[in-house]
Amino acid sequence: MKKVLGNKAAIALFVVPALILYTALVMVPVIWSLYYSLFSGSPGLKWEFVGIKNYLDLFRDKNFRNALMVNFKYISVVTVGQVGLGLLLALMFKFWLKHCKSFVRTLVFFPVVLPTVAVGQLFAKIYEIQPHYGLLNSFLSAVGLQDLVQPWIGQESTALWALCVMDIWVAMGFYSVIFYGALLDISDDILEAAHIDGASGFNLFRRILLPLLRPMIITSLVFSFSGTVKMFESALALTKGGPGAATKSLSMYMYDVSFTFNKVGYGSVIAIVIFLICVCGSAIINKFDVRDD
């Protein structure tokens, strides 16, 4: 191994192909977007150089600020929900679920492989109020909570939270499998020693399991954060960005600006903002993975 790692040609053989793919698929589009962001209109259609005007317009754009706020609310709820519930499910698989463990894991993971459009249609029926109550409103009505029956995806006050519930349900099985694999890698000797020392329940989780799972938690948070920043298809399938602009994310706004209103230059600025949020957010999350020497 030392001989291979000391050979620069061998290192280049492994690194260069990945670097070429990364440059072609990530850096080139970013640079292209930076170039486009300095122009107004669409290529071939009122395409003119405007410098930083698009960036200045961004701060005065009420629709952009609304989409940014929608993204932040969505990220804060869905990232914590996906990773947190995934961890709780993994702990359940490891310590409490004694029978049908494989069946339950498969059942929980099943939403991950469902098409987004199918999930959107499923939850649209669950939240339905007209012409018939969906599953949620039917349940509320049956248990005497008629006052809580409402158009969950048809009003601005609840549409975003209904979308969050759907996306947490879809992805929590994915993170539960990741955490369950990490729990299986923890030696039973460590857990037995902790039990002998009197650690149990929450103390066992906080003092033993949580430090050992920290790298996997950080990785999962980065995965979830990156996915939620780019929220698009799930909102399009369930709410189409509505009602009004209650669930219109930055990605959806960028799509509308670029392809509906033919303002590719301005849309490129929004794309750069999304890219910067991904990079900065992931860097901040990774700061928590600092280990003591």
Side-chain angles (χ1 to χ4, degrees):
M1 180 60 70
K2 290 182 179 179
K3 184 177 180 181
V4 173
L5 294 177
N7 189 330
K8 294 183 178 180
I11 294 174
L13 181 64
F14 288 105
V15 173
V16 171
L19 184 61
I20 292 173
L21 284 174
Y22 180 80
T23 302
L25 298 178
V26 178
M27 296 311 300
V28 170
V30 170
I31 295 171
W32 201 268
S33 293
L34 283 170
Y35 171 74
Y36 271 16
S37 69
L38 301 176
F39 290 81
S40 175
S42 182
L45 184 66
K46 297 181 180 180
W47 190 240
E48 57 182 12
F49 180 80
V50 294
I52 63 171
K53 181 179 181 299
N54 286 329
Y55 292 90
L56 297 177
D57 290 343
L58 198 67
F59 295 101
R60 297 190 292 265
D61 188 349
K62 183 177 68 173
N63 294 325
F64 169 77
R65 293 197 299 269
N66 177 77
L68 185 64
M69 187 57 63
V70 168
N71 260 70
F72 283 151
K73 290 178 181 177
Y74 176 85
I75 290 167
S76 61
V77 174
V78 174
T79 298
V80 173
Q82 289 177 347
V83 177
L85 289 178
L87 180 56
L88 288 176
L89 286 171
L91 292 171
M92 182 183 73
F93 297 154
K94 173 70 175 178
F95 296 107
W96 296 304
L97 193 62
K98 302 300 182 182
H99 305 289
C100 304
K101 186 181 300 185
S102 298
F103 173 75
V104 174
R105 285 205 312 269
T106 303
L107 195 64
V108 170
F109 187 80
F110 182 68
V112 179
V113 301
L114 289 176
T116 303
V117 175
V119 174
Q121 289 298 308
L122 172 64
F123 272 80
K125 293 298 182 183
I126 291 175
Y127 294 134
E128 191 174 45
I129 190 171
Q130 292 291 343
H132 306 288
Y133 283 176
L135 179 62
L136 178 56
N137 284 327
S138 296
F139 173 77
L140 293 173
S141 178
V143 297
L145 298 175
Q146 185 68 35
D147 291 342
L148 295 180
V149 173
Q150 55 191 298
W152 296 96
I153 59 176
Q155 57 187 11
E156 293 187 3
S157 60
T158 57
L160 180 61
W161 313 122
L163 175 64
C164 290
V165 169
M166 183 185 81
D167 285 342
I168 290 172
W169 177 80
V170 167
M172 65 182 184
F174 171 76
Y175 294 103
S176 71
V177 171
I178 292 178
F179 285 126
Y180 182 66
L183 286 171
L184 291 179
D185 286 339
I186 298 176
S187 174
D188 289 337
D189 294 338
I190 296 176
L191 299 179
E192 290 177 6
H195 282 300
I196 292 172
D197 290 338
S200 61
F202 182 73
N203 284 330
L204 176 65
F205 171 75
R206 185 168 66 91
R207 298 184 180 278
I208 305 298
L209 296 178
L210 193 58
L212 293 174
L213 291 173
R214 183 173 64 175
M216 191 56 65
I217 293 173
I218 297 297
T219 301
S220 296
L221 286 172
V222 171
F223 281 162
S224 181
F225 176 81
S226 300
T228 53
V229 169
K230 298 175 289 186
M231 182 251 294
F232 183 87
E233 62 272 11
S234 60
L236 188 64
L238 182 64
T239 63
K240 296 180 175 60
T247 58
K248 179 169 286 188
S249 65
L250 286 175
S251 296
M252 298 179 75
Y253 184 51
M254 177 197 69
Y255 181 88
D256 286 343
V257 167
S258 300
F259 301 107
T260 302
F261 304 115
N262 291 319
K263 296 180 179 179
V264 174
Y266 190 59
S268 297
V269 177
I270 301 173
I272 291 169
V273 171
I274 296 172
F275 174 76
L276 291 176
I277 292 174
C278 282
V279 172
C280 295
S282 299
I284 292 171
I285 293 172
N286 279 311
K287 286 291 184 180
F288 292 95
D289 198 26
V290 178
R291 292 179 174 80
D292 299 328
D293 293 331

